[in-house]
Amino acid sequence: MPVALLALAVAAFGIGTTEFVMMGLLPEVADDLGTSVPTAGHLVSAYAIGVVIGAPLLTAAGVRVPRRRMLVALMALFTVGNLASALAPGFGTLLAGRVLAGLPHGAFFGVGAVVAAQLVAPERRARAVATMFLGLTVANIVGVPAGTALGQQLGWRATFLVVTAIGLLAMLALYALVPRLPLARGGGLGGEVRALADRQVLLGLLTAVFGFAGVFAVYSYLAKMTTELTGLSATAVTGVLALFGIGMTLGALAAGPLTDRALRPTLYGSLAALAALLLVFRYTVHSTVPALVTVTLIGAVGFMTTTPLQMLVMNNARSAPTLASASNHSAFNLANAGGAWLGGAAIAAGWGWDSPMLVGAVLAAVGLVLALLGGALDRDGSRLSRVVARSRRTTERSDISVG
């Protein structure tokens, strides 16, 4: 694999750390800034809002900017956002810093996925994209637990200062290791918007919203589930989250070669397995070992959906893939927010701490139906293309015979 993928993975590690570490630091932030933990929870939503807004806008603004320069600029904005968060004097400025740090997230992964695919042979494109995403999964194993522990010992500001340093390191690595690449000939912003409006691209984005929402309907409440239903101590929650991160990494490693070999079957299989495992978790959550095994498997199959979904929208927006690729990360963050909201609504309705598992299974099943619909349209389109091609060849032969 090209060494430039390492630079992309380092940047992804920093992004993944700052996105998820806030969940572990909410008590420290709330205590330091004199607010409640539920109010501090808006800092998680603020980052997601930044991602959803920034992905299409920053990608559109940089459609004519050379790819390497765009990646460095996006990481610079990410670094400034984390520095602003570390130095924020109050809750309002910290909220603004979180939005600022989230703005480049989707655009970076969108542009980064296109760059990663350009660095390798066509038959290894999915593996290259999955390698970049490994940085995101490793952040959940190493970066988030380490950042949480650092914030608990030295204060939450220390965590964001370290993430700022990671951002600076990533900027240097991107500039030094990513080669200059030609821009796609997709007709500029107009071509990118037309590619985004493709029926299969929109179906892929909807599949990401529903399918990945199934993961976050459960992941958002995993800590409480394992203490209330499994009977684990609060100190064991970090280990449970690390197991989920290990599962994510295993899923990312498997998704690359599987997607290169068979994109749609990989997507169908991972969504079907996700729906099934979320249902199984409702029963295994009551026993420690089965619960931990199921958590790891949910992390694996949940994250195994990301690479085929990313490649799906890029392939269907082939002439101008950057905006579609970035919008996929807006879809993932909508899934994050929507899944967490629906899972929380089920709990608030009095359905119990195991109710998000049913919600997640339904969402994953809807994602699978949308994916199957996209596959059926693909097959219909391919058959129509073959019919048209045969008709054209027949007409040409008839013209030659008449001539």
Side-chain angles (χ1 to χ4, degrees), residues 4-19 47 54 58-59 65-84 97 100-113 132 135-136 160-176 178:
L5 293 177
L6 175 62
L8 292 170
V10 169
F13 176 84
I15 291 173
T17 299
T18 206
E19 179 179 15
Y47 185 92
L58 293 181
T59 303
V65 178
R67 296 269 163 76
R68 183 178 68 175
R69 188 185 304 168
M70 184 68 173
L71 289 171
V72 173
L74 290 169
M75 190 48 53
L77 182 59
F78 168 84
T79 304
V80 170
N82 279 282
L83 181 60
L100 185 61
L103 286 174
H105 176 127
F108 182 90
F109 279 116
V111 176
M132 178 186 69
L136 193 62
F160 289 102
L161 286 174
V162 170
V163 175
T164 299
I166 295 172
L168 290 171
L169 175 64
M171 288 171 59
L172 293 173
L174 290 166
Y175 183 80
V178 175

Side-chain angles (χ1 to χ4, degrees), residues 54 74 94 123 126 133 145 249 278 292 294 342 364 366 376 378 397:
L74 290 169
L94 178 56
E123 67 274 11
F133 282 142
T249 302
L278 289 171
L292 296 180
T294 310
L342 289 171
V366 172
D378 253 357
R397 283 196 295 268

Side-chain angles (χ1 to χ4, degrees), residues 224-232 285-287 352-354 357:
K224 196 68 174 176
M225 287 175 184
T226 52
T227 55
E228 292 288 331
L229 302 179
T230 313
L232 297 177
V285 71
H286 299 287
S287 302
W353 285 105
D354 58 356
M357 301 158 191

